[in-house]
Amino acid sequence: MTDMIWSHVDEVPARKFTDGITLRQMWEGAGGRSCHVIDIAPGAVWPNLDVHKPGPEEVFVVSGVFNDGVRDYPPGSFIHCPAGSSHVPQSLTGCRLFVFYPEG
């Protein structure tokens, strides 16, 4: 049986990324693979273009409405952002995201 690693989001310290956006690193693996919970406060906007490199980004909208600079994604939405793609994360209403970087 493999040793499992678990944590509860409320027990992981939030790190301020920018005004209105906090990151919680839930797990980090080999090669920079990681997953995070990102909270975006109402009206907050990522400060610059978010380019996905070296690999893709997987986003699941847990709550609220996420906007990538082009369209809105309601709770329950899954977004696959291939390597090299980009967006400007933001939310008018506020949202919580689960984000996974499978290749770092």
Side-chain angles (χ1 to χ4, degrees):
M1 179 177 200
T2 303
D3 290 333
M4 297 183 351
I5 298 171
W6 73 274
S7 56
H8 190 281
V9 68
D10 293 335
E11 296 173 359
V12 176
R15 180 177 59 89
K16 180 180 176 181
F17 178 73
T18 191
D19 287 340
I21 300 177
T22 60
L23 308 173
R24 287 179 170 87
Q25 184 170 319
M26 303 301 292
W27 172 81
E28 184 174 23
R33 295 178 301 154
S34 63
C35 63
H36 307 263
V37 170
I38 300 176
D39 290 306
I40 302 177
V45 178
W46 206 258
N48 46 33
L49 189 64
D50 182 25
V51 180
H52 308 111
K53 58 183 182 178
E57 175 185 77
E58 312 288 348
V59 179
F60 180 77
V61 182
V62 176
S63 63
V65 177
F66 172 68
N67 182 284
D68 64 2
V70 177
R71 68 181 64 86
D72 286 334
Y73 300 91
S77 296
F78 173 79
I79 306 129
H80 168 76
C81 306
S85 67
S86 62
H87 59 190
V88 180
Q90 56 197 287
S91 180
L92 287 176
T93 62
C95 65
R96 174 168 274 186
L97 309 173
F98 178 81
V99 180
F100 177 57
Y101 298 99
E103 297 176 25

